[in-house]
Amino acid sequence: MSKPDVHLVGHSQGASLPLAMLADQPDLSKVTGLSVSLAPVVYAKYITSNAMLAFCKLGNSSKIYRDLGPQEAAYMADYTQRAVTAGICQRPLPSRLCEGILSAMGGGSSYITAAQNKRYWQGWPSPSSFFNALHWSQIATEPRPRFRKFDYGAEYNLSRIASPVYLLWGGQDQLAAPRDCALTMARLSAVGALAGSYEVQSYQHMDFIWDLGVATRAYGK
């Protein structure tokens, strides 16, 4: 029996994309091994970040936002990242504000230091199109939990995933909220695709990739 061609590891949206791909193109499960999903944002009904909820509601209802088109909006562009997180946020006083904004989005971390934040911010976040943000705004403001395609398209059917998925999530995560992760696990478990799961109760959204002690706290389990 031949071994699978590729194993997948993703964090946040990088974890939801493989699940969307495997649900949309189930034949790819034949060449896919284990998918490790770190703090996956799949269902987004139970986000507890007030900052992100406000953005989603505005993005989903504002005609001005919709008229921006699919290109990078100013606050998602490469030059904005260079000027803000790789620029202003590197200074002592503004860096505290930047940390506060990050905590408001994904939850406060007990493990990531100010020095680490400054280093990671030099290349994070990556630029994105506005339509990508609008897509998540639509998912988050659905009347009931749904993981669906852009512009209220068909729902990704996770029951079509045939390759194994291992899911890790944080108990303090405000973006990949535990209740949403539980929905993802339930859908995968129902079709035998859930290889396992593990909660790091003290983790927020970025701890899975930024905490220097992650090998012990999460991956050594």
Side-chain angles (χ1 to χ4, degrees), residues 32-48:
T32 304
L34 179 66
S35 297
V36 180
S37 297
L38 311 174
V41 182
V42 179
Y43 297 99
K45 183 63 180 175
Y46 300 110
I47 289 175
T48 57

Side-chain angles (χ1 to χ4, degrees), residues 66-134:
R66 280 189 163 274
D67 288 344
L68 286 173
Q71 75 283 350
E72 292 177 349
Y75 51 86
M76 296 179 181
D78 178 63
Y79 59 80
T80 304
Q81 190 277 330
R82 293 196 306 269
V84 180
T85 57
I88 296 172
C89 290
Q90 300 298 315
R91 301 169 187 170
L93 290 179
S95 68
R96 296 181 182 179
L97 176 60
C98 295
E99 286 182 15
I101 294 172
L102 181 60
S103 295
M105 291 171 58
S109 174
S110 301
Y111 306 107
I112 302 168
T113 67
Q116 284 176 266
N117 276 325
K118 288 183 180 180
R119 183 165 67 251
Y120 301 143
W121 288 341
Q122 293 177 26
W124 180 94
S126 300
S128 182
S129 72
F130 177 72
F131 272 21
N132 182 46
L134 182 59

Side-chain angles (χ1 to χ4, degrees), residues 127-146:
S128 182
S129 72
F130 177 72
F131 272 21
N132 182 46
L134 182 59
H135 185 193
W136 287 109
S137 296
Q138 293 171 355
I139 292 174
T141 54
E142 279 280 284
R144 62 183 179 85
R146 290 182 178 178

Side-chain angles (χ1 to χ4, degrees), residues 147-190:
F147 181 40
R148 65 191 309 176
K149 298 180 181 181
F150 177 66
D151 233 4
Y152 303 101
E155 191 168 355
Y156 290 106
N157 186 357
L158 299 185
S159 67
R160 301 177 74 191
I161 297 177
S163 54
V165 180
Y166 194 98
L167 194 149
L168 295 95
W169 78 100
Q172 309 305 312
D173 197 332
Q174 296 184 14
L175 285 180
R179 289 182 69 185
D180 285 320
C181 289
L183 287 173
T184 304
M185 288 187 288
R187 300 292 193 276
L188 295 172
S189 181

Side-chain angles (χ1 to χ4, degrees), residues 52-81:
M52 292 304 297
L53 285 173
F55 171 83
C56 288
K57 289 177 181 177
L58 182 62
N60 199 35
S61 61
S62 170
K63 185 178 185 302
I64 295 175
Y65 275 17
R66 280 189 163 274
D67 288 344
L68 286 173
Q71 75 283 350
E72 292 177 349
Y75 51 86
M76 296 179 181
D78 178 63
Y79 59 80
T80 304
Q81 190 277 330

